[in-house]
Amino acid sequence: MDSHISPVDLPKAYRLINHGPTVLVSARHAGVDNVMAAAWACALDFAPPKLTVVLDKSSKTRELIESSGTFVIQVPTVAQLQLTHEVGTLSLSTEPDKLKICGVELFGIDGHDLPFVAGCSAWLACKLIPEPHNQQTYDLFIGEVVGAWADTRVFSNGRWYFEDADASLRSLHHVAGGHFYAIGEPLTTQD
């Protein structure tokens, strides 16, 4: 595991996605790994920490999650713009070498049989909270966060420091049709 990766206290895990980034969703089942991009992911609760993500019925990643009951939400960086676009465009169903084609490098974290995407700025290991009605009707999946980690060059002491880090570590925000923004400059209110 990269020396810049450090655990995040679970009560603060929601902060890893609270700023609305595009995320990468990865899953593993029966020896098959996949990664996809998702723009609709959201923190849901603090204790235990939960999140939601929308996954279309046609996605192979969704199938893996429904079979395994686990998944990872990761925050890709500006340096991963092309990778993020490609894993969100190509399907494992039609491209068996999708991860290789997209240049995805996976790694493991002890205690979690999950595929973590290297190069991201944050990772949230999740256990699926089955909600068949929401999953079938709205494509909405709920996960309980069971482990969280962040790249200390951009997240520490429970908060993001995008302004102090290399710009390549900023998070991506998908607008439409392959158009993204990187997170901007910080603004702070007066107390």
Side-chain angles (χ1 to χ4, degrees), residues 104-126:
V104 175
E105 180 186 336
L106 300 174
F107 70 97
I109 293 180
D110 288 342
H112 301 275
D113 183 23
L114 291 163
F116 293 84
V117 178
C120 293
S121 60
W123 302 262
L124 297 105
C126 299

Side-chain angles (χ1 to χ4, degrees), residues 2 15 30 41 45 66 76 80 82 95 100-101 106 114 123 129 142 149 151 165 167 179-180:
D2 186 308
R15 295 179 182 183
D45 203 353
E66 289 177 324
Q80 295 173 301
Q82 194 62 36
E95 292 287 347
K100 183 178 179 181
I101 292 167
L106 300 174
L114 291 163
W123 302 262
I129 298 173
I142 300 172
W149 302 264
D151 185 322
H179 187 76
F180 292 79

